[in-house]
Amino acid sequence: WFSAEREAMSYDVVIVGAGPAGLAAAIRLKQLCRAADTDLSVCVLEKGAEVGAHVLSGNVFEPRALDELIPKWRQEDAPIRVPVSSDKFWMLTKNKAWTLPSPFDNKGNYVISLSQLVRWMSVKAEELGVEVYPGFAASEILYDENQIVAGVATNDVGIAKDGSKRETFQPGVELRGRITLLAEGCRGSLSENIITNHKLRESGQGQHQTYALGIKEVWEIEEGKHKPGSVVHTVGWPLDMKTYGGSFLYHLDDRQLAIGLVVALNYRNPFLSPYDEFQKFKQHPAIRTLLEGGTVLQYGARTLNEGGFQVR
Ligand SMILES: Cc1cc2nc3c(=O)[nH]c(=O)nc-3n(C[C@H](O)[C@H](O)[C@H](O)COP(=O)(O)OP(=O)(O)OC[C@H]3O[C@@H](n4cnc5c(N)ncnc54)[C@H](O)[C@@H]3O)c2cc1C
């Protein structure tokens, strides 16, 4: 609902989330405006303190969508510099790694940091006139008197534990939009709210979504072990045959290695801890030797959609 107490700003399009989806949408809208010699005001809200701060991904990057969006990215300073140089697929048992034919085709793909890519995309969006606001979490959907979505509001700050307003209290801001685009990524809170309230799964006869948890670390490893562009995926140990999931090892530049384990959240064993499985995985002889002598630079975890339309 609109509130008289809150400051309000109006846009043609309000986009929630400065991930690849939200920023690509913002850039495309502005490109279409230029082509049609018109203008639409577009803003992107991002809850991370800076764009990219909350983006967590592998990432092996398939450039087809970026080729369409920014065809000249190869001539620009895009942070996409490490082509996939080898692509391996291992089946792990407790002490051995068996090489299998890879079910993936990563020819022409790149090993990148998705956080760096969205930072670059955010600059591109701003150059086109998009207003990007990091540090603002959209926490409420605004509806007009006809129950039509009319924007979002950020949350109030400065509220004490008992719900009373502190001296530092500041009401949230309303961002009203003719169109509101939710690009919150997997299991976004506002998106879930809309899906439930408007019964979108039922009305679209959609199946329920399935999820996995991805745990990832970025390591700096020893020079001699680092092979820029090397991609390895594994299945098997430490997960049992009833648990869907696997690991990834992607060599970036600057001796960096992205290593992670993805575990589907429909695992049967209620005592299974994806975090502990990841710790075990790093002790495997084929993995441990790679990490020995290295240092962890960053770590995090994020859910992934397992269902839905997936392009291969
Ligand atoms: C461990 C892991 C490995 C992966 N590996 C690969 C890979 O190798 N290759 C590949 O193609 N894909 C990979 N993926 C999937 C890929 O990361 C996602 O498909 C992609 O990030 C989705 O982009 P998005 O813009 O929809 O959402 P996200 O990247 O999740 O971005 C959403 C953004 O919205 C912001 N946000 C969310 N809610 C709000 C709110 N209410 N208010 C304000 N801001 C909000 C978030 O902070 C975030 O910045 C991987 C994912 C994980 C977790």
Coordinates of all heavy atoms in Angstrom, one line a residue, residues 135-196:
G135 N 22.6 -1.1 -2.0 CA 22.4 -0.8 -0.6 C 20.9 -0.6 -0.2 O 20.6 -0.2 0.9
F136 N 20.0 -1.0 -1.1 CA 18.6 -0.8 -0.9 C 17.9 -2.1 -1.1 O 17.8 -2.6 -2.3 CB 18.0 0.3 -1.8 CG 18.4 1.7 -1.4 CD1 19.4 2.3 -2.0 CD2 17.7 2.3 -0.3 CE1 19.8 3.6 -1.6 CE2 18.1 3.6 0.1 CZ 19.1 4.2 -0.6
A137 N 17.4 -2.8 -0.1 CA 16.6 -4.0 -0.3 C 15.1 -3.6 -0.4 O 14.5 -2.9 0.4 CB 16.8 -4.9 1.0
A138 N 14.5 -4.1 -1.5 CA 13.1 -4.0 -1.7 C 12.4 -5.0 -0.7 O 12.7 -6.2 -0.8 CB 12.7 -4.2 -3.1
S139 N 11.5 -4.5 0.2 CA 11.0 -5.4 1.2 C 9.5 -5.5 1.1 O 8.9 -6.3 1.8 CB 11.4 -4.9 2.6 OG 10.9 -3.7 2.8
E140 N 8.9 -4.8 0.2 CA 7.4 -4.8 0.2 C 6.9 -4.5 -1.2 O 7.5 -3.6 -1.9 CB 6.9 -3.6 1.1 CG 5.5 -3.5 1.3 CD 5.1 -2.2 2.1 OE1 5.9 -1.8 2.9 OE2 4.0 -1.7 1.8
I141 N 5.9 -5.2 -1.7 CA 5.3 -4.9 -3.0 C 4.2 -3.8 -2.7 O 3.5 -3.9 -1.8 CB 4.6 -6.1 -3.6 CG1 5.6 -7.2 -3.8 CG2 3.9 -5.8 -4.8 CD1 6.4 -7.2 -5.0
L142 N 4.2 -2.8 -3.6 CA 3.1 -1.8 -3.5 C 2.0 -2.1 -4.4 O 2.3 -2.5 -5.6 CB 3.7 -0.4 -3.9 CG 4.8 0.1 -3.0 CD1 5.3 1.4 -3.6 CD2 4.4 0.4 -1.6
Y143 N 0.8 -2.1 -3.9 CA -0.4 -2.3 -4.8 C -1.2 -1.0 -4.9 O -1.3 -0.3 -3.9 CB -1.3 -3.4 -4.2 CG -0.6 -4.8 -4.2 CD1 0.0 -5.2 -3.0 CD2 -0.7 -5.6 -5.3 CE1 0.6 -6.5 -3.0 CE2 -0.1 -6.9 -5.3 CZ 0.6 -7.3 -4.1 OH 1.2 -8.5 -4.1
D144 N -1.8 -0.8 -6.0 CA -2.7 0.4 -6.1 C -4.1 0.0 -5.6 O -4.3 -1.2 -5.2 CB -2.7 1.0 -7.5 CG -3.3 0.1 -8.6 OD1 -4.0 -0.9 -8.2 OD2 -3.2 0.4 -9.8
E145 N -5.1 0.9 -5.7 CA -6.4 0.6 -5.2 C -7.1 -0.5 -5.9 O -8.0 -1.1 -5.4 CB -7.3 1.9 -5.2 CG -7.5 2.5 -6.6 CD -6.3 3.4 -7.1 OE1 -5.3 3.4 -6.4 OE2 -6.5 4.0 -8.2
N146 N -6.6 -0.9 -7.2 CA -7.2 -2.0 -7.9 C -6.4 -3.3 -7.7 O -6.6 -4.2 -8.5 CB -7.3 -1.7 -9.4 CG -8.1 -0.5 -9.6 OD1 -9.2 -0.3 -9.0 ND2 -7.6 0.5 -10.5
Q147 N -5.5 -3.3 -6.7 CA -4.7 -4.5 -6.4 C -3.7 -4.8 -7.5 O -3.3 -6.0 -7.7 CB -5.6 -5.7 -6.2 CG -6.3 -5.7 -4.8 CD -5.3 -5.7 -3.7 OE1 -4.4 -6.5 -3.5 NE2 -5.5 -4.7 -2.8
I148 N -3.4 -3.8 -8.3 CA -2.4 -4.0 -9.4 C -1.0 -3.6 -8.8 O -0.9 -2.6 -8.1 CB -2.7 -3.1 -10.6 CG1 -4.1 -3.3 -11.1 CG2 -1.6 -3.2 -11.7 CD1 -4.4 -4.4 -12.0
V149 N 0.0 -4.4 -9.1 CA 1.4 -4.1 -8.6 C 1.8 -2.7 -9.1 O 1.7 -2.4 -10.3 CB 2.4 -5.2 -9.0 CG1 3.8 -4.7 -8.7 CG2 2.0 -6.5 -8.4
A150 N 2.3 -1.8 -8.2 CA 2.5 -0.4 -8.6 C 3.9 0.0 -8.1 O 4.2 1.2 -8.0 CB 1.5 0.5 -7.9
G151 N 4.8 -1.0 -7.8 CA 6.2 -0.6 -7.4 C 6.6 -1.4 -6.1 O 5.9 -2.4 -5.8
V152 N 7.6 -1.0 -5.5 CA 8.1 -1.6 -4.3 C 8.5 -0.5 -3.3 O 8.7 0.6 -3.6 CB 9.4 -2.5 -4.6 CG1 9.0 -3.7 -5.5 CG2 10.5 -1.7 -5.2
A153 N 8.7 -1.0 -2.0 CA 9.2 -0.1 -1.0 C 10.4 -0.7 -0.3 O 10.4 -1.9 -0.2 CB 8.1 0.2 0.0
T154 N 11.3 0.1 0.1 CA 12.5 -0.4 0.9 C 12.0 -0.4 2.3 O 11.1 0.2 2.7 CB 13.7 0.5 0.7 OG1 13.4 1.8 1.1 CG2 14.1 0.6 -0.8
N155 N 12.8 -1.2 3.2 CA 12.3 -1.3 4.6 C 12.7 -0.1 5.4 O 13.6 0.7 5.1 CB 12.7 -2.6 5.2 CG 14.2 -2.9 5.0 OD1 14.8 -2.2 4.2 ND2 14.7 -3.8 5.7
D156 N 11.9 0.1 6.5 CA 12.2 1.2 7.4 C 13.5 0.8 8.2 O 13.8 -0.4 8.4 CB 11.1 1.3 8.5 CG 9.7 1.6 7.9 OD1 9.7 2.1 6.8 OD2 8.7 1.4 8.6
V157 N 14.3 1.8 8.5 CA 15.5 1.5 9.3 C 15.4 2.2 10.7 O 14.7 3.2 10.8 CB 16.8 1.8 8.6 CG1 17.1 0.9 7.4 CG2 16.8 3.3 8.1
G158 N 16.1 1.7 11.7 CA 16.1 2.4 13.0 C 15.0 1.9 13.8 O 14.3 2.7 14.5
I159 N 14.6 0.6 13.8 CA 13.5 0.1 14.6 C 14.1 -0.8 15.7 O 14.9 -1.6 15.4 CB 12.5 -0.7 13.7 CG1 11.9 0.2 12.7 CG2 11.4 -1.3 14.6 CD1 11.0 -0.4 11.7
A160 N 13.7 -0.5 16.9 CA 14.2 -1.3 18.1 C 13.6 -2.7 18.1 O 12.6 -3.0 17.3 CB 13.8 -0.6 19.4
K161 N 14.2 -3.6 18.9 CA 13.7 -5.0 18.9 C 12.3 -5.1 19.3 O 11.6 -6.0 18.8 CB 14.6 -5.8 19.9 CG 15.9 -6.3 19.4 CD 16.5 -7.3 20.3 CE 17.9 -7.7 19.8 NZ 18.8 -8.1 20.8
D162 N 11.8 -4.2 20.1 CA 10.4 -4.3 20.6 C 9.5 -3.6 19.5 O 8.3 -3.5 19.8 CB 10.2 -3.6 21.9 CG 10.5 -2.1 21.9 OD1 10.9 -1.6 20.8 OD2 10.5 -1.5 23.0
G163 N 10.0 -3.2 18.4 CA 9.2 -2.6 17.3 C 9.0 -1.1 17.4 O 8.5 -0.5 16.5
S164 N 9.5 -0.5 18.5 CA 9.4 1.0 18.6 C 10.4 1.7 17.7 O 11.4 1.1 17.4 CB 9.5 1.4 20.1 OG 10.8 1.1 20.5
K165 N 10.1 2.9 17.4 CA 11.0 3.7 16.6 C 12.2 4.3 17.4 O 11.9 5.0 18.3 CB 10.3 4.8 15.8 CG 9.2 4.2 14.9 CD 8.5 5.4 14.2 CE 7.4 4.8 13.4 NZ 6.5 5.9 12.8
R166 N 13.4 4.0 16.9 CA 14.5 4.7 17.6 C 14.7 6.1 17.0 O 14.0 6.5 16.1 CB 15.8 3.9 17.2 CG 15.9 2.6 17.9 CD 17.4 2.2 17.9 NE 17.6 0.9 18.6 CZ 18.1 -0.1 17.9 NH1 18.6 0.0 16.7 NH2 18.3 -1.2 18.6
E167 N 15.6 6.9 17.6 CA 15.9 8.2 17.1 C 16.4 8.2 15.7 O 16.2 9.1 14.9 CB 17.0 8.9 18.0 CG 16.4 9.6 19.2 CD 17.5 10.1 20.1 OE1 18.6 10.4 19.6 OE2 17.3 10.2 21.3
T168 N 17.1 7.1 15.4 CA 17.6 7.0 14.0 C 16.6 6.5 13.0 O 17.0 6.3 11.9 CB 18.8 6.0 14.1 OG1 18.3 4.8 14.7 CG2 20.0 6.5 14.8
F169 N 15.4 6.4 13.4 CA 14.3 5.8 12.5 C 14.3 6.6 11.2 O 14.2 7.8 11.2 CB 13.0 5.9 13.2 CG 11.9 5.4 12.3 CD1 11.6 4.1 12.0 CD2 11.1 6.4 11.6 CE1 10.6 3.7 11.2 CE2 10.1 6.0 10.7 CZ 9.8 4.6 10.5
Q170 N 14.2 5.9 10.1 CA 14.0 6.5 8.8 C 13.0 5.6 8.1 O 13.3 4.4 7.9 CB 15.2 6.6 8.0 CG 16.1 7.8 8.4 CD 17.2 8.0 7.4 OE1 17.6 7.0 6.7 NE2 17.8 9.2 7.3
P171 N 11.9 6.2 7.6 CA 11.0 5.3 6.9 C 11.6 4.9 5.6 O 12.4 5.6 5.0 CB 9.7 6.2 6.7 CG 10.3 7.6 6.8 CD 11.5 7.6 7.7
G172 N 11.1 3.7 5.0 CA 11.5 3.3 3.7 C 11.1 4.2 2.6 O 10.3 5.2 2.9
V173 N 11.6 4.0 1.4 CA 11.3 4.8 0.3 C 10.4 4.0 -0.7 O 10.6 2.8 -0.8 CB 12.6 5.2 -0.4 CG1 12.3 6.1 -1.7 CG2 13.5 5.9 0.5
E174 N 9.4 4.7 -1.2 CA 8.6 4.0 -2.2 C 9.1 4.3 -3.6 O 9.4 5.4 -4.0 CB 7.1 4.5 -2.1 CG 6.5 4.1 -0.9 CD 5.0 4.6 -0.8 OE1 4.5 5.2 -1.8 OE2 4.4 4.2 0.2
L175 N 9.3 3.2 -4.4 CA 9.7 3.4 -5.8 C 8.5 2.9 -6.6 O 8.3 1.7 -6.7 CB 11.0 2.6 -6.0 CG 12.1 3.2 -5.3 CD1 12.8 2.2 -4.4 CD2 13.1 3.8 -6.2
R176 N 7.8 3.9 -7.1 CA 6.6 3.5 -7.9 C 7.0 3.3 -9.3 O 7.8 4.1 -9.9 CB 5.6 4.6 -7.7 CG 5.2 4.8 -6.3 CD 4.2 5.9 -6.1 NE 4.0 6.1 -4.7 CZ 3.3 7.1 -4.2 NH1 2.7 8.0 -5.0 NH2 3.1 7.3 -2.9
G177 N 6.4 2.3 -9.9 CA 6.8 2.0 -11.3 C 5.5 1.7 -12.1 O 4.6 1.0 -11.6
R178 N 5.5 2.1 -13.4 CA 4.4 1.7 -14.3 C 4.6 0.2 -14.5 O 3.6 -0.5 -14.6 CB 4.5 2.4 -15.6 CG 4.1 3.9 -15.5 CD 3.7 4.4 -16.9 NE 4.8 4.5 -17.8 CZ 4.7 4.1 -19.1 NH1 3.6 3.6 -19.6 NH2 5.8 4.2 -19.9
I179 N 5.9 -0.2 -14.5 CA 6.2 -1.7 -14.6 C 7.2 -2.0 -13.5 O 8.1 -1.3 -13.3 CB 6.7 -2.1 -16.0 CG1 5.7 -1.9 -17.0 CG2 7.3 -3.5 -16.0 CD1 6.1 -2.2 -18.4
T180 N 6.9 -3.1 -12.8 CA 7.9 -3.6 -11.8 C 8.4 -4.9 -12.2 O 7.6 -5.8 -12.5 CB 7.1 -3.7 -10.4 OG1 6.5 -2.5 -10.1 CG2 8.1 -4.1 -9.3
L181 N 9.7 -5.0 -12.3 CA 10.3 -6.3 -12.7 C 11.1 -6.9 -11.6 O 12.1 -6.3 -11.1 CB 11.2 -5.9 -13.9 CG 11.6 -7.0 -14.9 CD1 11.9 -6.5 -16.2 CD2 12.7 -7.9 -14.4
L182 N 10.7 -8.1 -11.2 CA 11.4 -8.7 -10.1 C 12.5 -9.6 -10.7 O 12.3 -10.6 -11.4 CB 10.5 -9.5 -9.2 CG 9.4 -8.7 -8.6 CD1 8.4 -9.7 -7.8 CD2 9.9 -7.7 -7.6
A183 N 13.8 -9.3 -10.4 CA 14.9 -10.1 -10.8 C 15.8 -10.4 -9.6 O 17.0 -10.2 -9.6 CB 15.7 -9.3 -11.9
E184 N 15.1 -11.0 -8.6 CA 15.8 -11.3 -7.3 C 16.7 -12.5 -7.4 O 17.3 -12.8 -6.4 CB 14.8 -11.4 -6.2 CG 13.9 -10.2 -6.0 CD 12.8 -10.6 -4.9 OE1 11.9 -11.3 -5.2 OE2 13.0 -10.1 -3.8
G185 N 16.6 -13.3 -8.4 CA 17.3 -14.6 -8.5 C 16.5 -15.7 -7.8 O 15.3 -15.5 -7.5
C186 N 17.2 -16.8 -7.5 CA 16.6 -17.9 -6.9 C 15.8 -17.6 -5.6 O 16.4 -17.1 -4.7 CB 17.6 -19.0 -6.7 SG 17.0 -20.5 -6.0
R187 N 14.6 -18.0 -5.5 CA 13.8 -17.9 -4.3 C 13.8 -16.5 -3.7 O 14.0 -16.3 -2.5 CB 14.2 -18.9 -3.3 CG 13.0 -19.6 -2.6 CD 13.3 -20.6 -1.6 NE 12.3 -20.5 -0.6 CZ 11.0 -20.9 -0.8 NH1 10.6 -21.4 -1.9 NH2 10.1 -20.7 0.2
G188 N 13.5 -15.5 -4.6 CA 13.5 -14.1 -4.1 C 12.3 -13.9 -3.1 O 11.2 -14.5 -3.4
S189 N 12.4 -13.1 -2.1 CA 11.3 -13.0 -1.1 C 10.1 -12.3 -1.7 O 9.0 -12.8 -1.5 CB 11.8 -12.2 0.1 OG 12.5 -11.1 -0.2
L190 N 10.3 -11.2 -2.5 CA 9.1 -10.6 -3.1 C 8.5 -11.5 -4.2 O 7.3 -11.5 -4.3 CB 9.5 -9.2 -3.7 CG 10.0 -8.2 -2.7 CD1 10.3 -6.9 -3.4 CD2 9.1 -8.0 -1.5
S191 N 9.4 -12.1 -4.9 CA 8.9 -13.0 -6.0 C 8.0 -14.1 -5.4 O 6.9 -14.4 -5.9 CB 10.0 -13.6 -6.8 OG 10.9 -12.6 -7.1
E192 N 8.5 -14.7 -4.3 CA 7.7 -15.8 -3.6 C 6.4 -15.3 -3.2 O 5.4 -15.9 -3.2 CB 8.5 -16.4 -2.4 CG 9.7 -17.2 -2.9 CD 9.3 -18.5 -3.6 OE1 8.3 -19.1 -3.3 OE2 10.0 -18.8 -4.6
N193 N 6.4 -14.0 -2.6 CA 5.2 -13.4 -2.1 C 4.2 -13.3 -3.2 O 3.0 -13.6 -3.1 CB 5.7 -12.0 -1.6 CG 4.7 -11.3 -0.9 OD1 3.6 -11.1 -1.4 ND2 5.0 -10.8 0.3
I194 N 4.6 -12.8 -4.4 CA 3.7 -12.6 -5.5 C 3.2 -13.9 -6.1 O 2.1 -14.1 -6.4 CB 4.5 -11.8 -6.7 CG1 4.8 -10.4 -6.3 CG2 3.7 -11.9 -8.0 CD1 4.0 -9.3 -6.9
I195 N 4.1 -14.9 -6.1 CA 3.8 -16.2 -6.7 C 2.7 -16.8 -5.8 O 1.7 -17.4 -6.3 CB 5.0 -17.1 -6.7 CG1 6.0 -16.7 -7.8 CG2 4.6 -18.6 -7.0 CD1 7.4 -17.4 -7.8
T196 N 2.8 -16.7 -4.5 CA 1.8 -17.2 -3.5 C 0.5 -16.4 -3.6 O -0.6 -17.0 -3.8 CB 2.4 -17.2 -2.1 OG1 3.6 -17.8 -2.1 CG2 1.5 -17.9 -1.1

